[in-house]
Amino acid sequence: MNRTLLISGLLAGSLALTACDRVFQRPAETPETEQADMTDAAPEPAAPELPVRPASAESGASIDWEAARRDLAARSTENPDGAFQVASGGEAPPVPVFLPSVPVVAQGGEAEIRFQPTSDGYYAFFPGEAYDMIVNGTNVVIAEPGAGAPPARTDAFNFQPTTTGAQVAFSRYGADYLVEFECKEMVNGLPACITEEQAVAFARDLAISGTR
């Protein structure tokens, strides 16, 4: 009798545990459920907001054409056989043109001068034996918004070495000019075809060769 009751008690307990397991059993997870859980647990970080910087403002420089025409007329009288001049008048570039006052001849005796007017100025290329020279003129004034009027231009010649040679910047008649010297050879990996004194002297010797 006692043995029968013990077996009955064990069977009852086993059935109770089975029922509890069914009640508390977690439903099987499907791939869709797993993906939803991963999405909820690890949301993508929001893109950082970058500061909005005001764009630089461009404007055309006020050119002193009267002074440029006066200087060109004086130079033409002094040197009627100029080395290189461009057309003047309405078809001239939008800035007075400065070019070398002496002939520039490439190595081998063949001149390969290139002159190209642009929408804001001009570009001129002069080949040489030790270096090539590029002259750019522009009437574009770049200033930061809210910075007020751009700094007044001066007659200074600003020299700066570059990875290929050197450059000299200056202003005349309200326009800006940049003279670049590109060395043909390097010394110990550095350009050494022209000194600061030579570059500035060359820029000073540029002569007005065309104007409107």
Side-chain angles (χ1 to χ4, degrees), residues 74-122:
R75 176 175 181 258
S76 300
T77 302
E78 297 172 359
N79 184 19
D81 298 325
F84 185 82
Q85 291 187 351
V86 297
S88 295
E91 298 301 322
V95 295
V97 177
F98 278 90
L99 298 173
S101 59
V102 296
V104 178
V105 182
Q107 187 174 4
E110 182 180 357
E112 298 177 353
I113 297 173
R114 296 199 299 269
F115 180 85
Q116 179 64 48
T118 63
S119 60
D120 62 279
Y122 70 93

Side-chain angles (χ1 to χ4, degrees), residues 128-153:
E129 296 183 3
Y131 54 81
D132 295 333
M133 186 185 69
I134 301 171
V135 183
N136 287 284
T138 179
N139 66 357
V140 173
V141 178
I142 300 178
E144 294 295 332
R153 291 176 171 85

